[in-house]
């Protein structure tokens, strides 16, 4: 039987089912009834001449061959979003959305400002939030990540490793840490600054507890808030050495064991490199991040 080419509407439905794992949730995301989603999936399966979605009590799953269609739908979605933002202009113009962990805001924003001075038609939207923006879904064009993406449509470029350490304010060190040394058996005597319960399973937070941190006097889901609390002398905190170098008022402590490092990746959609505005931003962020990581 001769198969026809799936339409964008068919692929859009399939992409929503893949992301939301049920017809009901996909319908809500698209603003249509679940029965409409089911009919469109059935129509797509007739077009292809084979099943693509299987329903079970715990949701839906796609056949392996259907994931190629998902990747195609992601590329089309990103391309359409790009055309809306820059009008299809081949020059370095339009808006680029950049997603960053908070710890990278200080070094990257000046780099983006320098880039903006070179390209007057370029605009930047920066997303920094606890929920990581979905690059495959077009929520951002470029992102710095601390884990490698598993999406086949996303390029994850390893930039280096960010070393971390325990830091305290100069006033805290002068008052309570002679020689800026912190043996493991004395860690329980100090005040600590760390992430809140929502991020309590992060490897660095786990390492803090293993080293002996127990009396947390300030907790937050914000890396900048933690950095500020350490600067204000509220307690000892684990920061990247990149953050620590930024502030002369911080002192890195001498420890018995080194905290874990962080792998840093630059992530962007595979087809984004074809877009001039995204390409120049990727190049600038890569160069500045590599410089910061040493």
């Amino acid at each position: 039987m001769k198969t026809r080419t799936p339409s964008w509407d068919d692929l859009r439905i399939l992409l929503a089912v893949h992301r939301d794992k049920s017809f009901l949730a996909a319908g809500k995301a698209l603003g249509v009834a679940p029965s409409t989603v089911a009919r469109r999936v059935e129509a797509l399966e007739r077009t292809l001449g084979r099943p693509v979605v299987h329903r079970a009590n715990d949701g839906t799953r796609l056949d392996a061959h259907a994931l190629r269609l998902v990747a195609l739908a992601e590329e089309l979605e990103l391309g359409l979003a790009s055309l809306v933002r820059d009008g299809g202009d081949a020059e370095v113009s339009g808006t680029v959305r950049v997603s960053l962990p908070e710890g990278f805001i200080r070094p990257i924003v000046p780099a983006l400002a320098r880039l903006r001075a070179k390209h007057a038609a370029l605009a930047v939207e920066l997303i920094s939030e606890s929920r990581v923006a979905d690059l495959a879904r077009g929520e951002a064009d470029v992102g710095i990540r601390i884990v490698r993406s598993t999406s086949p449509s996303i390029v994850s470029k390893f930039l280096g490793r960010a070393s971390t350490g325990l830091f305290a304010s100069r006033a805290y060190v002068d008052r309570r840490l002679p020689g800026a040394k912190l043996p493991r058996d004395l860690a329980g005597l100090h005040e600590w600054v760390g992430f809140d319960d929502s991020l309590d399973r992060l490897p660095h937070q786990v390492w803090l507890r293993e080293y002996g941190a127990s009396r947390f006097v300030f907790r937050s889901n914000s890396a900048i808030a933690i950095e500020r609390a350490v600067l204000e002398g509220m307690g000892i905190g684990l920061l990247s050495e990149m953050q620590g170098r930024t502030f002369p008022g911080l002192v890195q402590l001498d420890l018995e064991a080194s905290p874990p490092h962080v792998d840093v990746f630059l992530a962007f959609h595979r087809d984004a490199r074809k877009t001039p505005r995204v390409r120049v931003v990727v190049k600038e962020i890569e160069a500045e991040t590599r410089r910061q990581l040493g």
Side-chain angles (χ1 to χ4, degrees):
M1 184 179 73
K2 184 179 179 180
T3 59
R4 301 190 306 274
T5 302
S7 69
W8 162 239
D9 281 341
D10 292 336
L11 294 177
R12 187 169 66 100
I13 293 285
L14 183 67
L15 183 58
V17 172
H18 172 66
R19 286 171 173 166
D20 297 306
K21 309 303 181 188
S22 77
F23 286 0
L24 177 62
K28 288 181 179 179
L30 296 172
V32 300
S35 57
T36 300
V37 174
R39 285 198 303 272
R40 297 305 294 270
V41 168
E42 290 168 1
L44 175 61
E45 291 176 331
R46 287 195 299 271
T47 296
L48 296 173
R50 58 188 177 187
V52 294
V53 178
H54 299 278
R55 284 186 276 186
N57 292 334
D58 58 348
T60 59
R61 66 175 180 83
L62 270 61
D63 275 354
H65 68 264
L67 295 179
R68 295 178 60 187
L69 291 175
V70 168
L72 173 62
E74 289 178 338
E75 292 175 7
L76 289 171
E77 182 183 59
L78 184 71
L80 290 170
S82 298
L83 286 173
V84 169
R85 288 201 290 273
D86 65 19
D89 192 347
E91 301 300 323
V92 180
S93 63
T95 300
V96 178
R97 292 194 180 98
V98 179
S99 171
L100 299 178
E102 282 189 327
F104 286 86
I105 289 176
R106 283 191 176 87
I108 296 302
V109 170
L112 293 174
R114 292 192 297 270
L115 186 63
R116 174 63 180 73
K118 299 176 187 176
H119 303 286
L122 178 68
V124 176
E125 291 181 7
L126 192 147
I127 306 165
S128 179
E129 53 188 345
S130 56
R131 183 187 69 84
V132 175
D134 190 339
L135 297 175
R137 202 165 186 165
E139 294 179 349
D141 299 300
V142 185
I144 289 181
R145 298 287 182 261
I146 59 173
V147 293
R148 189 185 293 274
S149 173
T150 58
S151 171
S153 62
I154 299 299
V155 175
S156 285
K157 195 170 187 179
F158 178 68
L159 298 184
R161 287 176 170 170
S163 298
T164 61
L166 293 185
F167 289 83
S169 69
R170 171 57 65 187
Y172 189 97
V173 169
D174 290 345
R175 188 173 70 250
R176 302 197 53 189
L177 286 164
K181 294 183 178 181
L182 181 60
R184 188 190 297 266
D185 59 354
L186 297 182
L189 302 178
H190 289 272
E191 286 83 31
W192 291 85
V193 172
F195 286 110
D196 63 14
D197 289 341
S198 66
L199 300 170
D200 209 34
R201 294 185 180 180
L202 285 177
H204 294 81
Q205 194 72 6
V206 172
W207 182 90
L208 277 180
R209 292 195 299 271
E210 290 175 349
Y211 197 77
S214 57
R215 193 149 61 99
F216 287 90
V217 299
F218 183 91
R219 304 186 78 181
S220 174
N221 67 343
S222 165
I224 289 179
I226 289 172
E227 173 189 281
R228 193 74 233 174
V230 175
L231 273 167
E232 295 297 331
M234 295 184 70
I236 302 167
L238 193 149
L239 306 174
S240 72
E241 291 185 354
M242 183 174 64
Q243 286 175 284
R245 290 195 304 267
T246 304
F247 302 101
L250 289 180
V251 177
Q252 186 168 1
L253 306 182
D254 186 9
L255 308 175
E256 293 179 352
S258 298
H261 62 257
V262 177
D263 287 343
V264 180
F265 301 89
L266 182 62
F268 49 91
H269 199 280
R270 194 169 298 281
D271 282 351
R273 290 172 293 186
K274 302 173 185 176
T275 307
R277 60 183 170 78
V278 177
R279 191 163 58 244
V280 297
V281 171
V282 166
K283 184 178 179 181
E284 189 73 21
I285 292 177
E286 179 179 355
E288 181 61 26
T289 304
R290 288 189 186 279
R291 190 181 74 81
Q292 291 290 333
L293 295 176

